């Protein structure tokens, strides 16, 4: 472990539909995301354009001040056009339900998700919460109200 590496401990519960489910796991020494696996009884076929909320069989207890982001795996995306529809999915620290992955098949062929397939990756990130306060005016800037490609125009 290097000096800057931080870890947090996250309790994971196996649910009834995930009694053999593997815990999320990092596939390399420096991986940012821990792979999440499909907890399924059999293959799940995703037709082109179809989406499915795929169970992981797991529930987690995130520490206060952290979230779990559910992100796509690039391999699935480049090979099959399968991605996470609501990417990055947000798992709140007070959520105790099953972690699920909303996959969508944006490819042109049906794709079969097999039990135990690594379908997404979970990145644990610190959360900054805001105190939103009503303001009459906002400070001036060079950008001002320009956005949505404004800096690319001449
Ligand atoms: O990809 C996801 C996204 C969400 N969730 C779970 C955990 C999260 O804490 C909860 C709510 O998610 P979100 O806030 O994105 O959904 P919402 O539509 O705002 O529902 P809610 O009203 O329950 O917050 O659903 C997942 O398991 N996977
Ligand atoms: Mg919400």
């Amino acid at each position: 472990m290097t000096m800057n590496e931080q870890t947090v401990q996250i309790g994971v519960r196996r649910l009834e539909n995930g009694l053999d489910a593997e815990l999320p796991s990092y596939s390399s020494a420096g991986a940012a995301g821990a792979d999440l696996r499909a907890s399924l009884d059999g293959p799940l076929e995703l037709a082109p354009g179809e989406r499915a909320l795929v169970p992981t069989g797991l529930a987690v207890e995130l520490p206060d001040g952290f979230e779990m982001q559910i992100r796509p795996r690039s391999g699935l995306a480049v090979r099959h056009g399968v991605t996470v529809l609501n990417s990055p999915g947000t798992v709140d620290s007070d959520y105790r339900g099953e972690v699920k992955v909303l996959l969508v098949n944006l490819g042109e062929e049906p794709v079969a998700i097999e039990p135990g397939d690594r379908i997404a990756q979970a990145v644990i990130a610190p959360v900054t919460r805001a105190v939103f306060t009503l303001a009459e005016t906002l400070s001036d800037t060079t950008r001002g109200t320009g956005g949505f490609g404004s800096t690319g125009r001449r």
Side-chain angles (χ1 to χ4, degrees):
M1 187 179 286
T2 59
M3 227 163 59
N4 289 327
E5 190 170 334
Q6 298 192 15
T7 60
V8 289
Q9 201 168 316
I10 295 174
V12 182
R13 207 161 76 81
R14 285 191 173 114
L15 303 175
E16 262 165 37
N17 62 322
L19 294 178
D20 311 318
E22 280 186 53
L23 303 200
S25 62
Y26 295 96
S27 292
S28 74
D35 289 331
L36 296 172
R37 293 174 171 79
S39 186
L40 298 168
D41 291 332
L44 170 75
E45 189 165 287
L46 276 182
E50 197 183 359
R51 62 181 183 266
L53 200 48
V54 184
T56 65
L58 303 172
V60 296
E61 181 166 348
L62 298 168
D64 278 349
F66 289 87
E67 61 156 338
M68 176 186 280
Q69 299 179 358
I70 300 183
R71 302 196 198 168
R73 296 187 67 217
S74 61
L76 271 183
V78 75
R79 279 198 297 276
H80 302 295
V82 170
T83 187
V84 175
L85 181 56
N86 58 323
S87 181
T90 305
V91 179
D92 301 290
S93 65
D94 56 355
Y95 179 69
R96 296 291 177 269
E98 182 174 12
V99 173
K100 295 182 183 177
V101 178
L102 183 51
L103 291 181
V104 61
N105 178 3
L106 301 180
E108 278 153 22
E109 305 290 336
V111 178
I113 307 295
E114 303 287 342
D117 274 1
R118 293 177 294 153
I119 50 173
Q121 54 187 323
V123 172
I124 304 303
V127 169
T128 302
R129 290 193 22 145
V131 177
F132 295 97
T133 55
L134 205 55
E136 289 294 328
T137 57
L138 304 176
S139 68
D140 281 328
T141 67
T142 309
R143 172 185 286 275
T145 59
F148 313 100
S150 65
T151 63
R153 286 188 207 129
R154 304 154 195 250

